[in-house]
Amino acid sequence: MTDAAKPKPATDWGRITRDGLWGNNVILAQALALCPTLAVTSTATNGLGMGLATTAVLVLSNLLVSLLRGVITPEVRIPVYIVLIATLVTLVDLGLNAYAHELHKVLGLFIALIVVNCAILGRAESFASKNPAAASALDGLAIGLGFTLVLVVLGGVREVIGSGTLFAGAAQLLGPSFGFLELHLIPDYRGFLLAILPPGGFLALGFLLAGKRLIDARAAANRRRQASAEPVLS
Amino acid sequence: MGEYLLLILGTALVNNVLLVKFLGLCSFMGVSNKIDSALGMGLATTFVLTMATLAGWLLDHWLLEPLQIGYLRILTFILVIAAVVTFTEMVIRKVSPALYQVLGIYLPLITTNCAVLGIALLTSQEGQGLFQSVVYGFGSALGFTLVMVLFAGLRERLALAQVPAAFAGLPIAFIVAGLLSLGFMGFAGLA
Amino acid sequence: MSTAVQASLPRGILYQALLLGGFTLLAAALLAVADRVTREPIALRHAEDLNASLSQVMPSEIHDNDLAADPLTLTDAAGAPVLVYRALRAGQVTGVAYQVIGNGYAGEITLILALDAQGQVLGTRVLAHKETPGLGDKIEAAKNDWILAFKGRSLGDPPAERWGVKKDGGTFDQFSGATITPRAVVRAIKGGLEFFAANQTELLAPPR
Amino acid sequence: MKLFNIRGGVHPEDRKHLAADQAIEDLPLAPLLHVPLQQHIGNAATPAVRRGQQVAKGELLGIGQGPISAPVHAPTSGRVMGIGSFPAHHVSGLSVRTITLQPDGKDQWLEGIEGVPDPFALDPDEIAARVAAAGIVGMGGATFPSAVKLNLRKKYRLHTLVINGAECEPYLTCDDRLMREHTAQVLDGARIMAHALGVTQIIIAIENNKPQAQAAMTGAAADSPAVRVAGLPMRYPMGSEKHLVQTLTGRETPARGLTADIGVVVHNPATAFAVHQALRLGWPLVSRLVTVSGGAITRPRNLRVPLGTPVQHLIDYCGGFREEPTRLISGGPMMGNPLPGTRVPIVKGSNGVLALTAEEVNAQAAAPCIRCANCVAACPCGLLPLQMAAHARAGDLDGTVRLGLMDCIGCGSCSYVCPAHIPLVQFFNYAKGEMAARGRAKQKQAETKRLIEQRTARIEAIQQAKREAMAARKRESAGKPPAQTPADRRAEA
Amino acid sequence: MYSDTPIAGPYAHERTSVSRIMVLVVLALLPATLFSLWQFGWPAIFLFLITVGTCLVAEAACLRAAEKPLRPSLLDGSALLTGWLLAMSLPPWAPWWIGVLGGLIAIVVAKQVFGGIGQNLFNPAMVARVALLISFPAELTRYVAPAPLFSPQAPGFGEGLAITFGLDGPDMVTGATLLGQVRTELGQGHPLPDILPGIYQPWSDAVGTLAGSMGETSALLLLLGGLFLLSQRVITWHIPVATIATLALAATLMNLYDPGHYPDALYHLVGGATLLAAFFIATDPVTSPISPRGQLIFGAGLGVLIYSIRTWAAYPEGVAFAIILMNTCTPLIDHYVRPRVYGRDRKGAPIEYADDADAEVTR
Amino acid sequence: MIIAIGSIALLGLTLGGLLGLASRYLRVEGNPLTDKVAALLPGSQCGQCGYPGCGPAAEAIASGTAAVTICVPGGRAVVEELASLLGQAVNLAGVAEQAPTVAHINENLCIGCCKCFKRCPSDAIMGANNMIHSVFADACIGCGKCFEVCPTECIEMRPVAATLQTWFWPNPAQLSA
Ligand SMILES: Cc1cc2nc3c(=O)[nH]c(=O)nc-3n(C[C@H](O)[C@H](O)[C@H](O)COP(=O)(O)O)c2cc1C
Ligand SMILES: Cc1cc2nc3c(=O)[nH]c(=O)nc-3n(C[C@H](O)[C@H](O)[C@H](O)COP(=O)(O)O)c2cc1C
Ligand SMILES: Cc1cc2nc3c(=O)[nH]c(=O)nc-3n(C[C@H](O)[C@H](O)[C@H](O)COP(=O)(O)O)c2cc1C
Ligand SMILES: Cc1cc2nc3c(=O)[nH]c(=O)nc-3n(C[C@H](O)[C@H](O)[C@H](O)CO)c2cc1C
Ligand code: SF4
Ligand code: SF4
Ligand code: SF4
Ligand code: SF4
Ligand code: FES
């Protein structure tokens, strides 16, 4: 890494966090990491599990990439990153299989696929390889939590509509202490299956994206209104 | 023969990688604005995916199983896929610059397309024979290409439609993908 | 001039190779260690899985062994291998359990079927199926009690011609609007009973 | 005569009964005539008269500029009141250079105007030259200088002249009346043009809703085997020359080509009539037939109108408006354009002035396209109007061009049948205009680039010269010998 | 009259409009609809009204939300038609909430999020039907045998209310459609000749006295409506003819190959929603190709898909899926299949005449 | 276990070597896109894009650091061409179509200082020291540079008036909006 490419002192913690969670959200803003997003969100619990596993990998990979950024040459950086990520993912895979077996069964193939979750490589490339370790780790955390957030919301929406429950199986998957999460919202609910079938995943994400648009638009309108109101106030 | 035909039908239509298995969605959303680029991406992926299933099978049976190191599967597969992609790029560029013009820009994207790793891992999980694995990979890739191109066609028309602002762009694309997947549910049970 | 490029070339490549190779080496080593650590718990979890499904159909009173241990492999009428788990009490086979497969509405239905030494059904559960949720999925014990109706049945009870769903003149209920799934399950269980009848001696022979 | 089928097309109500039975009348002179210097495709003419000058009928008012242009002549005798800007006979409402003439009422022809006794003895070039000098342009609406078309024989091998008497636009009857009342003259003009083109075969093509014109022409042409009259099926746009030629010969004109590519030249009967007058009588083009019609006109008429007459004068002569018209159109309802007002003058290309009622126009607010494909079925050019319009709407003009914008003849069949009342033609007009504007911008950009490069080179040269001068001065003050050239250095080494 | 912003011609227009077209389609549907409503009695009438009503209300609500003018879109009749066709594709005695949910899906998810009429890529009625089918297979596969209004076995007004609104109504005598029954029996390994005679006579199916959705009953009346649409030039022959011909061809070939398993062409034509689809649904202009050749391809694809899904896939009737799948192909068909442009060959190059050596002089 | 780790490491070693080789042989020299982009830009070096001229702007666009919409004088047409060259989808709604303008010099105020003459990138201004200057409208690109420097503010940027030849129908999509 040459001097010219030295990291910009962009350690604006608040901004990194905000961007990761909302403004530059992997799913809602970048449209990346879509496969796990759609595949595991038939319940909020699954979404939470996947999100946390991915977050762990993200934080670690960002940290390692950032630490190693002096050593790695551009030619082999992609394979090296991939090896790094693959290792982390395999570790998570083994760990979950051994210590959170139920979750492992549900997440299945998608744990392995965290490797190719474009978001992880993307963050390694675009953030961690240019920024100091702490910022990179925070970025990984923010991005990961943003991802988790969307997964949980999406899973929740699909679960409620599809089967009338929320966080079903949380106790089983995450441990008994999570039992309080489980909700049976509508007792005699027939279940609108579409929501938990593949088409429902796409549809729900589509509406979620539209929802984010509306929220952003309203926020922007508010900001404008405030901006125009300020001179009058002062 | 008939068995392989059914396998292709099954992987391409019934258990479509994109719409049912949910693999490779990022390129699905990213490279489907134009029919031509979708076709290019599809063809490039078809090649890489077929090669990857082949390489995956060989790795599995010649390296991982004899040495009993299944836990290194992800690592080796992804390494080999990255290599396959790079070498494909190199070979195409050397052999046919014209083809490179068409496919070149999509090749690097494929490394992070989880359909490639996903299908390779799935075939190895199902313990199929060599030829079956390759057909499985090829059929999946065919399904990938088909849906990519159909979706690109739909998106080209969407670009001309007067979609409400909140839905224009990605949201409506996801909704279209949902309806597309709804249609593909009709193939259930076909093979 | 050209020599300079050639000179730098191998060095660069060697560095790349060593870099990637080194990382792979580290990664592989790390994973090997991790595998060592987790191998046991994972094996344990798998065994638990199997035990969990077996214990659903095999009452714990009738055996004192580890059900998953030492399974027996037989071949069925079609020549396919069947893995049989045996319940032993005091060295005697008191029950057997194996998978049976039915051809449902949307694909295969995999069941685990447990029989006692007399060939009476101890219990049966669906392990995997692709039936339509809301219609065919009532065969899951979690959704409907239907599957419990097989308990205590055997090849002669009901008689062979009544081993079917009511619509076909049999004993067992179907679901309204979905006959195919129950029909497939009934057939699969009947097949499992016939397998028992055909292989009774091997099944009940006490393990060496 | 065997006819061939064309694709698409529509069957609008022809409404010719309004004016078809009105014999041609001479419109009395208006108090002032406004003769624009541009009444044709190509370069505008430049004035040949001064303010206050007295001119005779047929005297040259404006001189044509360059090969694609046409002169204009005085429609009557009178005094030039001025040369200035005046609202053009054009939708835009823009003004154009116009000569205003105050008729003296004598309507006196210029001295010495006389025709050729035997035009067939003339060289084709000579005929074309006379047609050019007479200011004749295509009267079928395109107003392309006719002499240019007569010279096509130099580049193409031609075999047929078609007189386009289709007059497929609703309402319009002036070609019909012309062929009925001046049959011999139209035929003579056609023969002269055929001679100029070097072709022997003449086909006079007339739609079947004009049986009298067909009969008149057939009678007049009975003695000459080279002239045939073809009865065309009634279908809009039968009058489009490419489709007319296809109907007659079964051949399509290659895209971006001319009918001359397949050996045929097409002219309007009024053009033939003007050629007859120019050669036999020596008269330049100073008047034309105009159909004044439409539901809002009190008495629809076919008028012979001196060029430059204000539209209001025609309307007044026809009894004014019966009711306030919804649309005032120049030309037919399908291809015609709205007039910006009634002050504008009649020009060489005006074949109709229509005042249409709301009921006739049947305009409705545009709704979204339902992709019914009526427009696709109606398009005589095999285009996809709905797609072209959608691309134009989305701002993707290149897409519109790829879909064949430049092959669209603007006939309006698509808009006519669109159940959603989408202004398809306007989309295409806009896109064509925007493309042309981009073409101009590009040309200008290239030109600018050249200028900038020139400037850069020039400045560089000046600077170089300055540097050298400076160096030279330095050297002189230091008394050193001039710098060595590389060659010197080599010699030293 | 002399507006500042010139509006280009033509200044004459055919007497046609979107709402006129929709009204004609409704007229064409009317005989078959009335017949089916009579056949299935009050519950069917309620469901029909609920479905159509939901569609209209949903359309109005979406227009309001999008701040678009209500009248033009609401009165163009497209929402009415969507609701109508959706109602015709549902089991006539389905509960009220099926109609409501279906109407919402059709109008909101399949139409208005795309921007309203003309912008949707998939047939709204069929999207709703498929979404309902996969979500509520039990409700969507429960059919009743026709019991004409006012006949003794028909439910009265009150009973009808109870059936539709899920109050304690009489137990329904439920059954499957012809296609459903045949698929079930075939699945059991019974050969066709054993199955068909009891349940199927081509004539009764053509007239419409079998169980099924409203749009599946009277093939004859639907054909009549379709011919009316053809005569009014609302639709062209390409899609219906291609669909019917392909389906019939596939059925005939397979029937010749193995009559024991594959029913003949007539069965496929009068059974199920073939005719409704061919004349009223596949021809939905918004979601079908625009060129005649494209329409032929569309129809042929539809025929093949309907046959394949009916015969080999998990569902006994494949019309709705086939329509959605072909809707998916429509943009591609339109992209690749275009009419030949005047003066150009199929590839888009200007025509050249081989014998033009004599027409064009040396350059 | 040692064998396992060793063989995987060997795999990595080999692939790393090969990748290094590949990247060595496949290095792309410069960015060929830059020239193509430069060819599309107006070339007036006006700097309105925020880059010192069209060349740097082209580099920035080709490397993706600048949006295709930066060139103001190029207008919609250039944006569209760039977008199609780079395979991007752009929302043209944001690109305001500027009405083209040309400079016009008020002859009564011009003091003949030659400042505008020197600034004009396309030699569209004619004049000499202490003479009244005038603009050759056909060569004026409307960049406004002369407008900025004129000490007497006698230069006016006038919209180009439509003529019968340049007028065309308005876009109906914009009419209805
Ligand atoms: C969408 C759909 C899903 C179905 N799923 C099942 C199913 O899971 N199990 C089943 O037995 N039949 C299923 N069927 C088949 C029908 O319900 C079929 O008519 C029924 O099995 C025949 O049984 P019956 O004789 O009770 O009507 C399904 C049908 C459809 C249309
Ligand atoms: C749609 C359309 C309709 C036309 N209809 C006529 C017509 O009815 N009569 C006519 O003389 N020219 C008509 N024209 C113009 C002809 O194509 C052609 O320009 C003209 O006949 C050439 O003759 P001219 O040069 O003597 O005007 C039409 C053109 C178009 C595009
Ligand atoms: C139900 C129906 C089916 C038809 N089938 C055909 C056919 O298969 N082939 C055909 O050439 N014409 C058929 N026709 C006649 C068409 O109306 C006629 O060919 C058509 O008008 C030709 O126009 P086109 O070239 O625009 O398609 C059919 C008409 C109807 C009403
Ligand atoms: C011939 C014809 C068939 C139609 N078929 C359908 C249909 O099957 N489903 C539907 O929702 N609308 C149908 N419509 C109505 C309309 O096109 C539909 O509401 C649009 O898809 C909404 O944009 C049809 C309209 C016509 C003219
Ligand atoms: S005629 Fe009008 S509504 Fe029909 S497809 Fe063409 S543009 Fe669309
Ligand atoms: S105006 Fe153009 S697109 Fe429309 S019908 Fe005529 S030629 Fe076709
Ligand atoms: S704004 Fe455009 S013309 Fe001006 S310097 Fe930048 S790229 Fe060149
Ligand atoms: S800068 Fe102004 S004052 Fe000076 S020469 Fe130019 S126009 Fe005249
Ligand atoms: S997560 Fe699957 S391709 Fe991005």
Side-chain angles (χ1 to χ4, degrees), chain A:
Chain A
M1 193 127 300
T2 60
D3 282 0
K6 266 247 165 74
K8 292 162 238 151
T11 27
D12 178 352
W13 306 111
R15 201 195 148 82
I16 293 177
T17 317
R18 258 197 321 279
D19 271 1
L21 285 176
W22 184 260
N24 197 20
N25 187 293
V26 236
I27 301 169
L28 297 183
Q30 304 178 30
L32 291 178
L34 298 174
C35 307
T37 305
L38 288 168
V40 303
T41 52
S42 51
T43 68
T45 316
N46 290 354
L48 186 60
M50 184 71 190
L52 294 179
T54 309
T55 306
V57 175
L58 249 171
V59 172
L60 290 175
S61 80
N62 260 14
L63 190 65
L64 287 180
V65 166
S66 175
L67 289 176
L68 291 171
R69 75 200 128 101
V71 185
I72 299 165
T73 60
E75 283 81 9
V76 287
R77 75 178 189 286
I78 301 268
V80 169
Y81 293 165
I82 286 183
V83 166
L84 255 172
I85 298 167
T87 310
L88 290 171
V89 169
T90 313
L91 287 176
V92 170
D93 188 33
L94 291 173
L96 281 182
N97 202 348
Y99 309 112
H101 191 62
E102 290 297 320
L103 189 59
H104 185 264
K105 270 202 285 189
V106 176
L107 301 182
L109 181 62
F110 286 91
I111 295 191
L113 295 186
I114 296 178
V115 180
V116 274
N117 183 326
C118 353
I120 297 179
L121 193 65
R123 283 336 273 179
E125 270 275 83
S126 65
F127 196 93
S129 64
K130 299 181 189 130
N131 286 288
S136 299
L138 177 69
D139 178 71
L141 187 68
I143 291 276
L145 290 182
F147 178 69
T148 313
L149 178 76
V150 176
L151 254 60
V152 171
V153 171
L154 193 64
V157 168
R158 290 179 69 187
E159 189 182 349
V160 168
I161 299 177
S163 44
T165 61
L166 193 57
F167 285 106
Q172 208 182 352
L173 295 184
L174 305 174
S177 50
F178 285 89
F180 71 94
L181 282 174
E182 291 188 39
L183 288 177
H184 281 262
L185 297 174
I186 314 164
D188 206 14
Y189 188 60
R190 222 185 208 84
F192 186 19
L193 276 185
L194 179 68
I196 40 183
L197 289 175
F202 285 111
L203 291 176
L205 188 51
F207 280 99
L208 212 62
L209 280 168
K212 175 174 192 272
R213 287 259 179 95
L214 288 177
I215 294 174
D216 283 347
R218 182 155 311 165
N222 273 344
R223 233 174 295 132
R224 260 199 307 281
R225 205 170 319 123
Q226 266 163 15
S228 64
E230 254 158 28
V232 184
L233 290 173
S234 60

Side-chain angles (χ1 to χ4, degrees), chain E residues 19-362:
Chain E
S19 49
R20 195 187 97 100
I21 289 180
M22 299 295 167
V23 165
L24 284 174
V25 181
V26 165
L27 271 182
L29 278 170
L30 210 53
T33 313
L34 291 178
F35 177 77
S36 316
L37 289 178
W38 174 69
Q39 285 270 296
F40 294 108
W42 289 112
I45 295 175
F46 297 140
L47 183 70
F48 182 82
L49 292 177
I50 287 168
T51 312
V52 170
T54 309
C55 284
L56 290 173
V57 170
E59 175 100 349
C62 288
L63 291 171
R64 169 72 57 84
E67 289 164 8
K68 286 188 196 163
L70 284 189
R71 281 176 61 92
S73 302
L74 208 52
L75 294 187
D76 67 18
S78 67
L80 171 77
L81 199 48
T82 298
W84 195 302
L85 284 161
L86 173 59
M88 292 199 71
S89 73
L90 296 175
W93 286 20
W96 64 274
W97 52 267
I98 287 280
V100 170
L101 200 57
L104 287 176
I105 295 175
I107 296 296
V108 179
V109 179
K111 181 175 173 188
Q112 287 293 343
V113 297
F114 288 87
I117 183 169
Q119 319 298 314
N120 51 309
L121 302 180
F122 302 91
N123 189 316
M126 291 303 104
V127 166
R129 208 219 116 94
V130 168
L132 289 174
L133 175 66
I134 63 170
S135 304
F136 308 102
E139 282 77 6
L140 266 274
T141 50
R142 199 143 62 210
Y143 288 95
V144 291
L149 208 53
F150 309 126
S151 70
Q153 69 272 36
F157 185 83
E159 277 176 301
L161 279 179
I163 289 172
T164 306
F165 292 94
L167 313 171
D168 302 320
D171 268 344
M172 275 198 265
V173 187
T174 61
T177 61
L178 172 67
L179 294 179
Q181 267 175 293
V182 170
R183 272 304 291 282
T184 311
E185 296 293 322
L186 280 174
Q188 287 316 116
H190 303 245
L192 268 182
D194 293 358
I195 307 169
L196 281 184
I199 55 175
Y200 162 73
Q201 292 87 31
W203 183 241
S204 69
D205 214 17
V207 172
T209 52
L210 287 182
S213 64
M214 288 171 49
E216 279 178 275
T217 42
S218 178
L220 279 184
L221 289 177
L222 287 169
L223 184 64
L224 204 71
L227 293 179
F228 171 74
L229 286 187
L230 277 171
S231 74
Q232 292 295 309
R233 294 195 290 138
V234 171
I235 60 175
T236 58
W237 59 269
H238 305 85
I239 291 181
V241 168
T243 308
I244 293 171
T246 319
L247 183 58
L249 183 71
T252 308
L253 287 179
M254 293 307 290
N255 180 250
L256 287 178
Y257 167 69
D258 180 1
H261 277 94
Y262 302 102
D264 59 9
L266 192 59
Y267 165 90
H268 277 283
L269 295 190
V270 298
T274 309
L275 289 180
L276 183 74
F279 285 106
F280 294 93
I281 300 177
T283 50
D284 174 10
V286 176
T287 53
S288 58
I290 47 181
S291 63
R293 281 194 314 148
Q295 291 174 349
L296 289 177
I297 295 173
F298 182 87
L302 195 63
V304 169
L305 281 176
I306 292 179
Y307 189 80
S308 308
I309 295 177
R310 279 183 181 178
T311 311
W312 295 295
Y315 298 91
E317 170 62 307
V319 165
F321 287 109
I323 296 266
I324 296 186
L325 288 168
M326 288 316 293
N327 289 165
T328 307
C329 301
T330 295
L332 270 195
I333 296 176
D334 278 341
H335 186 264
Y336 287 111
V337 183
R338 292 185 186 157
R340 184 178 61 79
V341 175
Y342 179 99
R344 295 182 185 272
D345 60 20
R346 282 240 168 259
K347 290 204 185 98
I351 289 180
E352 277 178 37
Y353 291 103
D355 57 350
D356 253 9
D358 63 332
E360 221 163 353
V361 158
T362 49

Side-chain angles (χ1 to χ4, degrees), chain B residues 84-153:
Chain B
V84 167
V85 171
T86 314
F87 292 131
T88 312
E89 192 179 346
M90 182 165 79
V91 168
I92 292 184
R93 190 180 257 198
K94 271 259 146 59
V95 174
S96 164
L99 192 64
Y100 184 77
Q101 278 283 313
V102 181
L103 300 185
I105 51 171
Y106 305 115
L107 285 166
L109 289 176
I110 296 176
T111 321
T112 55
N113 181 336
C114 54
V116 179
L117 182 67
I119 295 295
L121 288 175
L122 270 177
T123 43
S124 105
Q125 224 172 54
E126 303 204 349
Q128 292 155 324
L130 173 64
F131 193 59
Q132 236 179 350
S133 284
V134 174
V135 171
Y136 188 98
F138 178 72
S140 302
L142 220 57
F144 180 86
T145 311
L146 175 75
V147 172
M148 278 294 275
V149 174
L150 287 176
F151 190 58

Side-chain angles (χ1 to χ4, degrees), chain F residues 105 109-117 133 149-152 154-155:
Chain F
I105 295 178
L109 296 178
C110 174
I111 52 170
C113 70
C114 268
K115 281 194 170 148
C116 55
F117 175 86
H133 285 55
V149 293
C150 176
T152 66
C154 69
I155 298 184

